[in-house]
Amino acid sequence: MASAAREYDMSTRSVAAGRTRTRLIHAARARFTGARIDDVTLADLAGDAGVSVQTLLNHFGSKEGLLLAATESIGAEVAKLRGEVEPGDVGGAVDSLMRHYEVLGDANWRFVAEVDGEAAFAPLLDDARARHRAWLESVFGPRLPEASDEREDAIAALYAVTDVGTWKLLRRDLALSADETRAVLRRLIAGQLEEE
């Protein structure tokens, strides 16, 4: 009987710990989306999640650890926002990028600008860049040049065109509408692809 009670107690604690982690990750996403990393305190994050600073540290070790976990949690959201794109479909690819960037682009841009060059975040950024490149090859592969040098050049150009920095330049710096940005991206992408 005592064993069953202990097992139930451990299971209950595990569920509670999972909920606490989830609340902390949601608090971090909300805070870091709207503020610079240095401006967010452990006390802010813990308070938003309704826990103590020590609880936050027990789960993530540091503010950076929580930020990493929050950023990793966004990966599934990005995949959902992008959805499926028919290979070679420029319009579908642009729509996919716009769904992603209109929701997460500002936070994405700010995060990369703040952490690029910091060793703790290098694996995360490397992985995100590799996934974007793989997405480009998957979506545009049928219309890329066959010769390897030309193909690599086209992928590099497509990467620059489809990067969040290009979206930010068009939408925020040049103040283009979403439709205008979509049209510019279509033209830029089409210029890198072979005619069908």
Side-chain angles (χ1 to χ4, degrees):
M1 216 32 131
S3 175
R6 181 172 174 81
E7 188 175 305
Y8 174 78
D9 187 52
M10 294 304 286
S11 176
T12 302
R13 284 184 185 168
S14 176
V15 169
R19 287 184 182 143
T20 298
R21 286 181 67 83
T22 299
R23 283 198 324 271
L24 283 162
I25 287 170
H26 285 296
R29 285 184 59 175
R31 282 280 177 170
F32 291 126
T33 296
R36 290 179 31 81
I37 295 168
D38 289 343
D39 294 338
V40 177
T41 68
L42 287 170
D44 292 333
L45 295 164
D48 290 352
V51 301
S52 69
V53 169
Q54 188 57 54
T55 297
L56 183 158
L57 293 173
N58 289 345
H59 282 274
F60 297 101
S62 65
K63 179 170 75 170
E64 290 74 19
L66 176 54
L67 176 57
L68 276 169
T71 304
E72 289 169 355
S73 79
I74 293 172
E77 187 175 347
V78 168
K80 189 174 182 180
L81 286 167
R82 285 205 180 175
E84 294 294 319
V85 178
E86 187 71 31
D89 179 5
V90 173
V94 171
D95 290 344
S96 170
L97 289 169
M98 290 297 289
R99 280 192 306 272
H100 170 191
Y101 292 153
E102 290 294 312
V103 174
L104 297 170
D106 292 315
N108 186 186
W109 173 256
R110 186 172 33 258
F111 174 77
V112 171
E114 287 190 57
V115 304
D116 200 15
E118 292 189 27
F121 295 97
L124 183 70
L125 294 178
D126 289 346
D127 181 61
R129 290 173 179 135
R131 280 186 281 116
H132 187 65
R133 181 189 166 90
W135 182 84
L136 291 171
E137 291 191 73
S138 169
V139 170
F140 299 117
R143 295 186 57 192
L144 291 172
E146 300 230 355
S148 85
D149 287 348
E150 290 175 23
R151 187 178 185 89
E152 286 304 310
D153 288 348
I155 291 170
L158 287 167
Y159 198 109
V161 168
T162 60
D163 186 74
V164 69
T166 303
W167 170 86
K168 184 236 181 223
L169 171 71
L170 297 169
R171 287 287 280 134
R172 303 300 182 234
D173 301 347
L174 299 178
L176 297 183
S177 71
D179 287 340
E180 290 168 328
T181 298
R182 190 176 277 107
V184 170
L185 290 177
R186 281 187 183 135
R187 283 196 303 274
L188 291 171
I189 290 170
Q192 300 306 316
L193 301 175
E194 295 191 335
E195 295 298 323
E196 292 186 301

